[in-house]
Amino acid sequence: MALIKCPACGHEVSDQASFCPNCGQPIKTATADVEIKSASEDTEISDFSELTRVPRKVIFYYLTIIVLSFGILTFPTVLLHHWADFFWSLFIIIGIPVWIYLSLEVLAIRFELSQDKIDVSKGILSRRSTSVPFYNAQSVTTGAGPILGLFKLKKFAIWTSSPSQMVIRDGESENRPDIFLILNRTDAERIREYALNSAKRP
């Protein structure tokens, strides 16, 4: 047991005391802060223990995008029925296989959140794994358009300064996130907050 000074009145009190006997000021020690913070971190990690896959409704989000895309293409041909049939035939031949492929990609995604990093594995035939420590994160973003909002989904992305973030195509460059997932709205925000807090830890 050690004696410390009350931050309010300067009276010496035990470091085990809950409040100052002289003025009633609550006593909060650094040790208590560390213990509380550690317990809080453990709770946060346990909250994500069951979160290892993207929600299956992402499959229906992709289906909606494909149907809307073909619908926009066929709209000008409403008065020309034979062209409309042609475009909907293309939907069956191209759109459905693309949707099946995207659905399998969604089902194959696995991710794991640990104390200081996130690991993501993707791919059907060939697995691609990416691991990003939170202290390397330059930006952690979430966002949603109207269709994603309809499904209560959000895009989650982590950006770092790694070379893999820069993609050069046809002489022009574009930035891509190191980690990109589509998650439930609440999960995306919770993971974003956790990642940002983890990046600030010493």
Side-chain angles (χ1 to χ4, degrees), residues 75-137:
F75 182 76
T77 65
V78 171
L79 299 178
L80 303 173
H81 297 290
H82 57 289
W83 281 106
D85 292 340
F86 170 73
F87 275 108
W88 282 109
S89 297
L90 281 181
F91 171 74
I92 295 173
I93 296 171
I94 298 175
I96 291 180
V98 168
W99 176 62
I100 292 173
Y101 170 77
L102 291 173
S103 299
L104 293 175
E105 280 280 358
V106 167
L107 295 175
I109 295 174
R110 299 289 185 277
F111 66 93
E112 182 179 357
L113 197 71
S114 61
Q115 194 74 25
D116 57 356
K117 66 178 180 177
I118 183 171
D119 299 297
V120 178
S121 179
K122 298 181 179 181
I124 303 171
L125 299 177
S126 176
R127 301 294 289 176
R128 305 177 303 278
S129 298
T130 305
S131 180
V132 174
F134 294 131
Y135 60 78
N136 278 347

Side-chain angles (χ1 to χ4, degrees), residues 156-168:
F156 170 83
I158 296 182
W159 309 77
T160 71
S161 56
S162 66
S164 61
Q165 188 188 90
M166 186 66 68
V167 178
I168 300 176

Side-chain angles (χ1 to χ4, degrees), residues 20-100:
C20 175
N22 186 51
C23 67
Q25 170 73 20
I27 303 298
K28 190 176 182 181
T29 64
T31 303
D33 286 342
V34 172
E35 289 176 354
I36 292 171
K37 182 179 179 182
S38 176
S40 176
E41 290 173 358
D42 291 343
T43 302
E44 289 183 25
I45 278 294
S46 65
D47 288 344
F48 300 113
S49 60
E50 300 299 324
L51 191 60
T52 58
R53 298 184 180 187
V54 298
R56 293 194 175 186
K57 58 184 175 181
V58 174
I59 294 173
F60 299 101
Y61 161 73
Y62 283 132
L63 177 62
T64 303
I65 293 294
I66 293 172
V67 171
L68 286 176
S69 299
F70 276 90
I72 292 171
L73 287 174
T74 59
F75 182 76
T77 65
V78 171
L79 299 178
L80 303 173
H81 297 290
H82 57 289
W83 281 106
D85 292 340
F86 170 73
F87 275 108
W88 282 109
S89 297
L90 281 181
F91 171 74
I92 295 173
I93 296 171
I94 298 175
I96 291 180
V98 168
W99 176 62
I100 292 173

